[in-house]
Amino acid sequence: MGEKFWLIEEDKALVESVLGAEAVQFFVWLASSNILSEFAAPAGDVGVQDGLSKVVEGSDWTYAIYWQVSTSKSGKSALIWGDGHCRDPRGTEKMDGNDYRDQRFAGGDRRKQALQKIHACFGGAEDDNVAAKLDSVSELEMFYLTSMYYAFPFDKPSTPSQAFNTSRTIWVSDPRSCSENYQSRASLAKSARIETVVFVPFKSGVVEIGSGKSLSEDPNVVQMVKTSITPNVVHPKTAPKIFGQELSLGGGK
């Protein structure tokens, strides 16, 4: 899965210029190890979309992601994409006319191409490509949509798995520490101007929330996340949504 893609230096260079070298190395490992196939998400609704939306909309938080626990046939466990909600960047910055598009989405076509390469790498069909449904891809959209292809096996150290294994919330609100905790997503998070990231553990996964502001640790926010989001048993689900638009990830996702 994806081996041929990584042999094409021009494609690899394009993706690396957008995601950063660490993210590309992570995806090479992810694709060569067939991690996303091994830890395929069950076909169903984890019941967190309304809660994730409640956490983000009308607040200082930019996005929220629910990483759900998945167990492979061999008995290994990992945190994989369960659901997410991201505030529309077009609604958070007020700029006039072409200035808005030129500044907010500078390089958007290049990011869109990179996202299409990643989608193809993991076996996605062209007609269900997330990027194809967007005119241009912003820095925030690139970070959020790329996260859909991530997985965090418990036998490979990561901040989401650390929060889950220790049952302790991890709150980071300075640029340097953010980069350390985003790890291979650090370059993407920096481009998206994320300054605060929080990982809140649940019995069945971890909720990750991020903000473009530097926010001091607040127990009330953590409690709000815990009470707003109640993962449930999976049921038949519709396509995930971003900015109110249904999108299909294709394949096992």
Side-chain angles (χ1 to χ4, degrees):
M1 180 185 295
E3 289 85 354
K4 292 183 179 180
F5 163 73
W6 304 113
L7 294 177
I8 303 175
E9 289 300 321
E10 183 178 349
D11 288 347
K12 185 177 180 180
L14 168 66
V15 177
E16 190 168 299
S17 70
V18 175
L19 274 65
E22 288 189 353
V24 170
Q25 291 173 6
F26 184 87
F27 280 127
V28 168
W29 169 78
L30 204 65
S32 61
S33 303
N34 290 324
I35 299 296
L36 293 183
S37 297
E38 183 179 358
F39 296 102
D45 186 353
V46 293
V48 298
Q49 180 57 227
D50 289 343
L52 295 174
S53 176
K54 182 179 179 180
V55 169
V56 173
E57 297 300 331
S59 74
D60 289 324
W61 300 103
T62 306
Y63 74 90
I65 295 172
Y66 173 62
W67 300 105
Q68 69 180 52
V69 175
S70 175
T71 303
S72 68
K73 293 181 179 179
S74 63
K76 296 181 179 180
S77 295
L79 289 167
I80 64 173
W81 176 277
D83 212 333
H85 184 83
C86 186
R87 186 186 303 164
D88 188 344
R90 299 165 182 81
T92 60
E93 293 191 14
K94 293 183 179 179
M95 300 178 69
D96 294 328
N98 292 331
D99 287 340
Y100 171 82
R101 186 168 186 83
D102 292 345
Q103 294 182 34
R104 186 68 183 93
F105 296 104
D109 289 340
R110 183 166 51 88
R111 287 188 289 271
K112 180 174 179 177
Q113 292 175 34
L115 194 60
Q116 290 172 326
K117 300 295 183 185
I118 297 168
H119 180 77
C121 171
F122 291 104
E126 185 174 346
D127 59 357
D128 66 15
N129 194 342
V130 174
K133 300 178 185 293
L134 300 172
D135 293 333
S136 186
V137 179
S138 71
E139 293 95 336
L140 177 59
E141 288 169 328
M142 191 68 200
F143 166 81
Y144 179 76
L145 294 172
T146 302
S147 294
M148 292 181 176
Y149 298 92
Y150 267 76
F152 304 101
F154 288 121
D155 59 358
K156 187 178 179 67
S158 70
T159 305
S161 61
Q162 179 185 348
F164 182 83
N165 288 331
T166 62
S167 298
R168 297 179 62 181
T169 296
I170 297 174
W171 187 302
V172 184
S173 55
D174 69 87
R176 180 175 180 178
S177 295
C178 263
S179 293
E180 293 174 355
N181 284 273
Y182 275 120
Q183 296 165 309
S184 63
R185 292 185 294 160
S187 180
L188 286 162
K190 182 178 181 180
S191 296
R193 300 173 181 84
I194 303 299
E195 295 190 10
T196 301
V197 62
V198 182
F199 299 91
V200 182
F202 286 75
K203 289 183 178 180
S204 57
V206 173
V207 170
E208 172 190 325
I209 56 176
S211 174
K213 299 179 179 180
S214 180
L215 304 174
S216 299
E217 187 168 355
D218 185 348
N220 293 324
V221 170
V222 176
Q223 186 59 34
M224 183 267 291
V225 170
K226 290 182 176 180
T227 55
S228 298
I229 300 170
T230 53
N232 59 22
V233 178
V234 296
H235 300 288
K237 69 182 294 186
T238 56
K241 293 183 178 181
I242 178 173
F243 314 138
Q245 182 181 16
E246 287 192 356
L247 299 172
S248 172
L249 287 176
K253 295 182 69 63

